[in-house]
Amino acid sequence: MTLLFAFLHHVLAFVLVAALAIELVLVKDRISIERARRILRADAIYGASAMLLLVVGFLRVIFFEKGAAYYFHSIPFIAKLLLFVAVGVLSIYPTMTFLSWRKSLNRGREPVLDPAVIKRIRKLIHYELVCLVLIVLAAAMMARGIGYWG
């Protein structure tokens, strides 16, 4: 069971990064109806993978690995959690913007975006990706016992 949850955790992390990368590629100057629908799908996959990743991660911490007492005495683990929260907070504006397109799309219209909004969304996605890279660094540190104070 430990192997299965470790596998799920890693696959979900890859899905999350892939969905975010797809969003970055698709968010450009002009967003057609089809492109907007793809962005909405990618964002839904991103959100679902983030939630499942969090659940699977906590199940691993509590039931399948070294236990919560160990992990909550690990600075890299706490850093991972805080970075994950940061990714979630950074994703609020892009997701709310994408969701605001639904009415236009249902009426068969392209979403109209100010270039500054597109620039802001792309910048936020870049920040999310940086945080995800830092999460991988924290995971590598955690796996080597760096920063454990128990």
Side-chain angles (χ1 to χ4, degrees):
M1 198 61 110
T2 300
L3 176 64
L4 174 64
F5 275 81
F7 171 74
L8 284 173
H9 191 79
H10 290 94
V11 167
L12 289 165
F14 281 111
V15 169
L16 183 139
V17 171
L20 197 55
I22 288 168
E23 286 182 20
L24 184 62
V25 168
L26 292 176
V27 174
K28 294 185 179 178
D29 298 335
R30 184 176 158 265
I31 299 184
S32 67
I33 293 170
E34 183 54 35
R35 181 175 285 175
R37 288 187 175 132
R38 286 180 182 164
I39 292 168
L40 280 167
R41 278 193 298 269
D43 199 58
I45 291 167
Y46 172 71
S49 65
M51 287 301 184
L52 289 170
L53 184 62
L54 191 61
V55 169
V56 168
F58 273 115
L59 289 173
R60 288 184 72 201
V61 164
I62 296 167
F63 298 111
F64 299 114
E65 300 296 334
K66 297 174 181 153
Y70 174 83
Y71 288 105
F72 285 102
H73 284 92
S74 168
I75 293 168
F77 178 76
I78 294 167
K80 279 178 60 173
L81 286 179
L82 293 174
L83 286 162
F84 196 78
V85 168
V87 169
V89 169
L90 289 167
S91 74
I92 292 170
Y93 180 80
T95 295
M96 297 307 290
T97 303
F98 302 153
L99 292 174
S100 74
W101 300 346
R102 284 181 170 165
K103 279 186 186 175
S104 295
L105 294 176
N106 289 338
R107 293 180 184 147
R109 294 187 204 142
E110 293 179 358
V112 179
L113 288 172
D114 183 315
V117 171
I118 292 172
K119 185 176 180 181
R120 185 177 310 126
I121 289 171
R122 290 183 58 81
K123 186 182 291 188
L124 289 167
I125 292 172
H126 279 107
Y127 292 154
E128 289 175 70
L129 289 167
V130 168
C131 287
L132 291 171
V133 168
L134 293 174
I135 288 172
V136 173
L137 173 62
M141 292 171 67
M142 194 174 77
R144 281 149 190 80
I146 297 169
Y148 178 75
W149 82 81

